Amino acid sequence: MSEQNSTAPPEKHPKHDAVPPNNNTLPCSISQTDSRDKWSKKMDFLLSVIGFAVDLGNVWRFPYICYQNGGGAFLIPYTIMALFGGVPLFFMELVLGQFHRTGAISIWKRICPIFKGIGFAICIIGLYVSFYYNTIIAWALYYFYSSFSTTLPWISCDNPWNTANCTNYFGKSNITWTNYSKSPAEEFYTRHVLGIHEADGLDYVGGLRWELLICLFLIFTIVYFSLWKGVKTSGKVVWVTATLPYAVLFILLIRGATLPGAWRGILFYLRPNWQKLTDTAVWIDAAAQIFFSLGPGFGVLLALASYNPFNNNCYRDAIITSMVNCLTSFLSGFVIFTVLGYMAEMRDVEVEDVAKDKGPSLLFITYPEAIANMVGSTFFAIIFFLMMITLGLDSTFGGLEAVITAIMDEYPDIIGKRRELFVLGLVIICFTGSLSTLTQGGAYVVKLLEEFGAGCSIIAVVFLEAIAVSWFYGIQRFCNDVKAMLGFTPGIYWRVCWVAISPAFLAVSISATYIMT
């Protein structure tokens, strides 16, 4: 990104000449048009946004939250929260980034300087996320490497890391599954990959897992060479990383639907429990899921949109990408629960007993265990963990690009022409900050960062952002900005959501989080 030359005479911008001259914020955005990087193609931007929004949480968190909160009935609060909370804020961030054409820190000089701390908070949260999120991708990379074998290493109890509690029930009869039983996949994950049995919680996390250190180094190498030149390089990479997961999801869905007992998992996933709708916790979970899934508040949407043409139809982009995100979450539920139904059939237990695992356990224990006992297990293991790697990388690209854009726009004279060196330094900081998650007790550190690094804090940031834009900057001025770019003024639905409904949802979520903690 080149520095802006303040002494050069302004050039004419045909698209901007048609913009009403009474918008007093417009000259700030026009002045950056020529000097700022731009997406090579419209699809580069759309795939980048979809890649960021559709991440590992869509695969592991949504299915669990859905069945835990009433199955099919959960889709009602989820849809309501999306329509009145998630999508309006998603659209708001795209508008802010595209109109002001700057990052999450410097944008507040033009909106309301007193809220500039929001931008710094976004960068700090982005660093916290990078400290643990890339470690999860490194776990997936280690599984991906381990999958290149005729016999997957987590299929039997005959390995050096297995214990007497290891119980392999696939293909065998008269096997009793007790509370002490551990599957080969569970012991592979906890004892061989993590080595968590050598740690003693956060008090003693043990030594580094060198295999994971190498995997994380490879992940950050990919991240660096995808981001070092800006959106022109990352926009090309997402053509692979954002589209490949969908091909794999459909392959796994077809395979899962043909497994014995798959119908049990689907029925368990979608069976509505209408009584759950009277539970306040269900609505809180719906709000948290949609906000974390769509990703407003991380500064990523703002950063990615800042490289758009001024008159790009970000309204249509917001609708398309939001729908793709929500439908992907719903589709992932079928991919996961067809396999859980299969496992329940093999264990001769209820689906509920198999589906108790959530989070990383679902992706690194439950699903690999089922894959290991399918025909063509090596192929399905390879494509499954390749999908996980690409899902994670997309979100990492977006998260770090938000930090890069925010800091470079805030300090253009210092690092404006040194993007490659700055990105290298940022990647080194993130890699160093991730070392504690690579220890034998690294899973405890990951859980700590996940819960407290980007939990309630990001919801608070989104809340303050919505208040700053709607109440301090002014909803009328914001709507004028939309009209200057798109040629129409947002309707009453958007205005009411921005001013009242979305902030109310966020305030209730924050309050509930503290009450329930």
Side-chain angles (χ1 to χ4, degrees):
M1 187 185 305
S2 61
E3 291 182 70
Q4 183 176 332
N5 187 353
S6 58
T7 61
E11 297 182 12
K12 293 183 178 180
H13 302 276
K15 289 185 178 181
H16 294 160
D17 291 341
V19 177
N22 61 345
N23 192 327
N24 56 12
T25 60
L26 188 55
C28 294
S29 57
I30 293 178
S31 63
Q32 294 188 8
T33 301
D34 285 339
S35 63
R36 194 168 188 80
D37 285 348
K38 300 181 183 67
W39 296 102
S40 299
K41 297 179 181 178
K42 173 64 175 288
M43 280 302 296
D44 292 356
F45 166 70
L46 287 177
L47 289 176
S48 296
V49 174
I50 291 172
F52 162 70
V54 178
D55 66 348
L56 295 173
N58 292 73
V59 179
W60 84 40
R61 194 170 190 273
F62 178 83
Y64 175 81
I65 292 293
C66 187
Y67 88 76
Q68 184 186 47
N69 291 289
F74 176 74
L75 298 178
I76 294 176
Y78 179 78
T79 303
I80 292 174
M81 292 296 177
L83 290 175
F84 294 100
V87 177
L89 294 173
F90 190 92
F91 180 34
M92 173 184 281
E93 277 215 357
L94 291 183
V95 170
L96 289 173
Q98 184 169 306
F99 184 85
H100 294 283
R101 308 178 71 79
T102 188
I105 298 176
S106 54
I107 192 173
W108 295 102
K109 298 176 184 177
R110 305 170 186 177
I111 296 177
C112 185
I114 198 173
F115 284 96
K116 191 175 181 179
I118 292 176
F120 289 103
I122 287 173
C123 293
I124 293 173
I125 293 172
L127 289 177
Y128 280 148
V129 172
S130 71
F131 290 164
Y132 77 85
Y133 193 81
N134 293 286
T135 297
I136 298 176
I137 309 175
W139 296 346
L141 180 59
Y142 186 80
Y143 269 82
F144 178 73
Y145 165 77
S146 301
S147 298
F148 286 90
S149 172
T150 53
T151 302
L152 296 177
W154 58 84
I155 198 173
S156 70
C157 294
D158 302 326
N159 302 290
W161 57 82
N162 291 129
T163 66
N165 291 324
C166 184
T167 304
N168 188 4
Y169 56 89
F170 277 90
K172 299 180 180 180
S173 58
N174 299 323
I175 297 296
T176 302
W177 188 265
T178 69
N179 293 332
Y180 299 100
S181 299
K182 305 290 183 182
S183 68
E186 182 176 355
E187 292 203 342
F188 177 81
Y189 174 60
T190 59
R191 298 180 64 85
H192 182 64
V193 178
L194 301 182
I196 201 169
H197 62 288
E198 300 287 347
D200 187 21
L202 291 172
D203 295 331
Y204 176 73
V205 294
L208 285 172
R209 304 287 291 175
W210 295 103
E211 303 92 338
L212 298 181
L213 182 68
I214 295 172
C215 290
L216 186 66
F217 177 80
L218 293 175
I219 292 297
F220 273 115
T221 301
I222 295 172
V223 169
Y224 173 71
F225 285 107
S226 298
L227 295 177
W228 70 323
K229 292 293 185 182
V231 295
K232 293 188 181 299
T233 53
S234 62
K236 298 297 181 291
V237 175
V238 293
W239 280 84
V240 176
T241 57
T243 57
L244 181 63
Y246 287 96
V248 176
L249 277 175
F250 279 108
I251 293 174
L252 295 176
L253 177 62
I254 294 171
R255 182 67 185 101
T258 61
L259 293 172
W263 64 272
R264 294 176 60 187
I266 295 175
L267 188 62
F268 183 80
Y269 175 46
L270 294 180
R271 182 190 293 122
N273 181 357
W274 302 111
Q275 293 181 345
K276 285 283 189 178
L277 295 180
T278 61
D279 188 352
T280 305
V282 173
W283 294 82
I284 298 299
D285 283 346
Q289 174 60 28
I290 196 66
F291 287 128
F292 281 110
S293 181
L294 290 177
F298 285 94
V300 177
L301 304 174
L302 195 152
L304 297 180
S306 71
Y307 300 106
N308 275 336
F310 184 79
N311 296 108
N312 173 66
N313 191 343
C314 56
Y315 171 77
R316 181 177 57 197
D317 296 343
I319 301 300
I320 292 174
T321 52
S322 297
M323 289 182 61
V324 169
N325 177 274
C326 295
L327 290 175
T328 303
S329 296
F330 188 60
L331 173 67
S332 299
F334 288 96
V335 174
I336 295 296
F337 275 90
T338 52
V339 169
L340 294 183
Y342 165 64
M343 292 186 62
E345 187 86 1
M346 295 298 100
R347 287 189 186 181
D348 194 22
V349 297
E350 295 298 323
V351 178
E352 184 175 4
D353 297 327
V354 179
K356 62 184 179 180
D357 288 331
K358 62 177 180 176
S361 297
L362 186 62
L363 298 184
F364 293 107
I365 297 177
T366 309
Y367 210 91
E369 182 180 341
I371 288 177
N373 293 278
M374 296 179 185
V375 176
S377 58
T378 297
F379 169 74
F380 288 109
I382 290 173
I383 64 171
F384 176 72
F385 290 111
L386 181 61
M387 177 191 72
M388 288 179 57
I389 293 169
T390 54
L391 282 173
L393 283 174
D394 281 333
S395 295
T396 291
F397 294 159
L400 289 183
E401 183 60 53
V403 178
I404 294 167
T405 301
I407 297 178
M408 289 188 66
D409 286 345
E410 178 66 10
Y411 307 105
D413 297 332
I414 301 176
I415 55 177
K417 291 184 177 180
R418 303 176 180 85
R419 181 183 173 101
E420 292 87 348
L421 290 176
F422 173 66
V423 174
L424 178 61
L426 181 64
V427 167
I428 291 174
I429 290 173
C430 294
F431 179 80
T432 304
S434 303
L435 292 180
S436 62
T437 65
L438 302 177
T439 57
Q440 293 163 330
Y444 297 119
V445 182
V446 168
K447 185 65 175 176
L448 177 70
L449 292 171
E450 183 184 11
E451 289 289 333
F452 298 101
C456 187
S457 57
I458 196 65
I459 299 180
V461 165
V462 183
F463 173 73
L464 292 174
E465 182 181 301
I467 293 297
V469 173
S470 300
W471 296 5
F472 288 81
Y473 184 69
I475 193 63
Q476 186 58 50
R477 185 188 296 182
F478 181 72
C479 290
N480 289 340
D481 295 347
V482 177
K483 185 176 181 179
M485 291 190 300
L486 306 182
F488 66 87
T489 303
I492 189 66
Y493 159 74
W494 297 103
R495 292 170 179 251
V496 172
C497 287
W498 287 328
V499 172
I501 299 179
S502 297
F505 282 166
L506 291 167
V508 171
S509 298
I510 295 171
S511 301
T513 301
Y514 282 112
I515 293 172
M516 297 169 62
T517 302

